[in-house]
Amino acid sequence: MTDPQIPVFDASSEFHQNLGLLKVAETAMRQHGDVVMIRASDSRQMLLMTGTDSIRYWKNHQGQFQTELGDIASNAGTTRILIGDALERPENAAIWDASRAGLAEVNAQWDSWAHDSLIHATEALVADLARSAGAPVDLRPICSLWAVRALCPALFGRALPDPEMVEGLMQIEQFYFAMSTLDAEATATPEALEEFKIARGFLDRAVHAGLAQNGADAPNVLTTMNRCLPPDLSAAERVDFLRPTLGRLLLEKLNIDGLGLLWTLTHLAQSPDLVEDMADELAGCADLRHAPDPQTPLCYAVIQEAQRLYPELPFIYRITSKEMKVQGYQVAPRTTILFAPWLVHRDARYWEAPNRFDGRRFLTPPEDRSSYLPFGIGPRVRNRTQFLQHQLSVAVRAVVSQFQMQLAPDCKRGNLRPILRSTLAPRGAVPVSFHARGARAETESRAL
């Protein structure tokens, strides 16, 4: 008996290209099930594998799903193009050895540097919200700025101004989006893309500025790594050798556009009773800055629920390293695989009322942990998950302990629908008003 043929969903039309990959994947799954080949063009196709059976297969056979090889438009492939390969060239082996020594020092100091950046960013966030004096403010720029302040000082120290860092990170996202939508022929020379030139130019400016403005003993990654490099390097060589480490850490540790915080606050602004219960929980916590996340379980559950609805990686590329059989289908080696946490997280087979925000849902862990993967799977992913969830815990606890919040009545409901592309950004402004705890009651009392 011959193996069944994998069903094919044709997404090569201009309509499907404009629809966005996640919407295409959702439509393909509904028509054909958990395993379906999506034909994006005559030269590019990918195998969508969704459902928990596929996720468990991935977990149990991680060696068969490569991250660095194959499709140039994968997240890993795009990252390699953006940061360059100077450290990996054989002629630079001595530089690589020196950089490894620098990384050992970075790893020893990272938690302290990152925590300091996070605390300063969160203090600035609270101050910005207090200055709004209850007037609605758009969460998009506020959360994006918090994300940059919470990470970039630990990486670059004093470098580019915060707004320029925000803009540069948006340019990097545009490069990733361009790489995810072009066919193989168009991405054969990615360095020729205007999006690449702009994104690489931003990274190089940030490194140059950090080298110029930081003192020799500044507590950050750039300065530490730079001390390990030979003193006789040219400025361009120095940037080439620093960019891979800084770029990779930036992309691994960044809460992209502050979207994790944005979506959490967006739902809290529509859940006043939940916010008050969180505030009651926080009132019993002596040190919100350093408390372990499980010490405030409701706050932690709210963050996990927001990440279920809006995973950091709504879809994940992998490449098969060998022939395999999945759910009865034969899959050839070097097939591009598309896993879609967005679809698994909103699948009624695994979640009750999956499209509803329930801040208490994660007070009880999910029965099937394969149904929850906001950052993917693997040891590195666990570290990233812990890092980003802790960032969000500190920020959310600070905001909830200081403010009551409300979504502006005139906020367009369409704005709260995410754009289903490489990141789940809102479609428009998200205006929320923040009132200092007790301030509204005092105002109403005086009015009476």
Side-chain angles (χ1 to χ4, degrees), residues 34 60 64 94 153 263 299 374 389:
D34 287 343
N60 295 329
Q64 297 179 16
W263 288 118
C299 290
Q389 287 183 338

Side-chain angles (χ1 to χ4, degrees), residues 70-147:
D71 191 344
I72 199 171
S74 70
N75 286 344
T78 300
T79 298
R80 288 170 64 87
I81 292 164
L82 178 63
I83 64 178
D85 64 352
L87 282 177
E88 300 175 16
R89 296 172 194 161
E91 66 269 24
N92 295 326
I95 304 292
W96 169 243
D97 289 341
S99 295
R100 289 180 64 186
L103 275 175
E105 184 176 347
V106 165
N107 290 334
Q109 301 291 333
W110 172 254
D111 287 346
S112 174
W113 298 340
H115 187 72
D116 286 346
S117 291
L118 172 60
I119 295 305
H120 292 151
T122 302
E123 288 174 347
L125 170 68
V126 169
D128 288 343
L129 297 179
R131 279 193 291 271
S132 72
V137 292
D138 185 2
L139 288 183
R140 295 175 301 169
I142 285 178
C143 293
S144 182
L145 191 59
W146 168 81

Side-chain angles (χ1 to χ4, degrees), residues 224-437:
T224 301
M225 297 299 295
N226 186 49
R227 284 200 301 266
C228 298
L229 297 179
D232 57 347
L233 293 176
S234 69
E237 289 173 326
R238 195 168 292 277
V239 171
D240 268 348
F241 291 132
L242 290 171
R243 186 196 315 111
T245 300
L246 287 161
R248 195 173 295 280
L249 283 172
L250 175 67
L251 297 170
E252 285 180 356
K253 302 293 187 182
L254 181 68
N255 189 298
I256 300 171
D257 289 339
L259 292 177
L261 180 60
L262 181 147
W263 288 118
T264 303
L265 295 180
T266 296
H267 281 282
L268 290 179
Q270 302 170 79
S271 310
D273 292 342
L274 178 62
V275 170
E276 293 312 302
D277 288 345
M278 293 168 67
D280 289 343
E281 176 183 81
L282 296 173
C285 185
D287 186 356
L288 296 178
R289 293 183 175 187
H290 299 91
D293 300 333
Q295 190 170 326
T296 52
L298 181 56
C299 290
Y300 191 49
V302 165
I303 289 165
Q304 290 177 291
E305 173 69 347
Q307 289 176 333
R308 182 188 67 83
L309 287 172
Y310 312 96
E312 177 87 359
L313 296 176
F315 58 86
I316 301 168
Y317 288 105
R318 290 293 183 266
I319 309 296
T320 58
S321 61
K322 57 187 291 186
E323 187 175 21
M324 61 182 69
K325 194 166 187 175
V326 181
Q327 298 190 39
Y329 296 108
Q330 207 68 29
V331 180
R334 299 192 64 76
T335 298
T336 301
I337 305 294
L338 182 68
F339 295 104
W342 164 269
L343 297 179
V344 177
H345 288 182
R346 292 172 179 257
D347 194 321
R349 290 175 293 179
Y350 319 119
W351 304 95
E352 182 180 351
N355 292 317
R356 176 170 61 88
F357 176 83
D358 179 358
R360 295 175 171 82
R361 188 190 301 268
F362 281 86
L363 289 174
T364 302
E367 293 183 7
D368 186 350
R369 293 187 178 274
S370 296
S371 64
Y372 185 66
L373 58 159
F375 302 94
I377 65 172
R380 290 175 65 108
V381 168
R382 284 195 291 273
N383 291 336
R384 174 172 168 76
T385 301
Q386 292 170 358
F387 179 80
L388 290 179
Q389 287 183 338
H390 176 67
Q391 279 194 322
L392 290 172
S393 290
V394 170
V396 169
R397 292 188 305 207
V399 172
V400 169
S401 67
Q402 295 290 323
F403 301 101
Q404 297 170 314
M405 61 200 81
Q406 181 180 21
L407 186 71
D410 60 351
C411 176
K412 297 178 180 178
R413 291 294 159 173
N415 291 6
L416 304 185
R417 294 171 52 212
I419 300 173
L420 302 181
R421 297 194 183 276
S422 57
T423 59
L424 298 173
R427 294 175 183 267
V430 184
V432 172
S433 58
F434 293 85
H435 299 269
R437 291 203 162 272

Side-chain angles (χ1 to χ4, degrees), residues 162-216:
D162 291 337
E164 191 170 346
M165 294 296 289
V166 170
E167 176 64 24
L169 293 170
M170 291 175 59
Q171 293 164 346
I172 288 178
E173 282 304 306
Q174 290 167 4
F175 172 58
Y176 273 79
F177 176 67
M179 290 294 291
S180 72
T181 56
L182 297 177
D183 59 28
E185 182 178 352
T187 56
T189 55
E191 292 83 359
L193 293 173
E194 189 64 23
E195 290 89 347
F196 167 80
K197 296 175 183 177
I198 293 173
R200 171 67 71 84
F202 157 69
L203 278 181
D204 288 357
R205 283 199 315 278
V207 175
H208 273 297
L211 289 172
Q213 298 185 43
N214 285 298

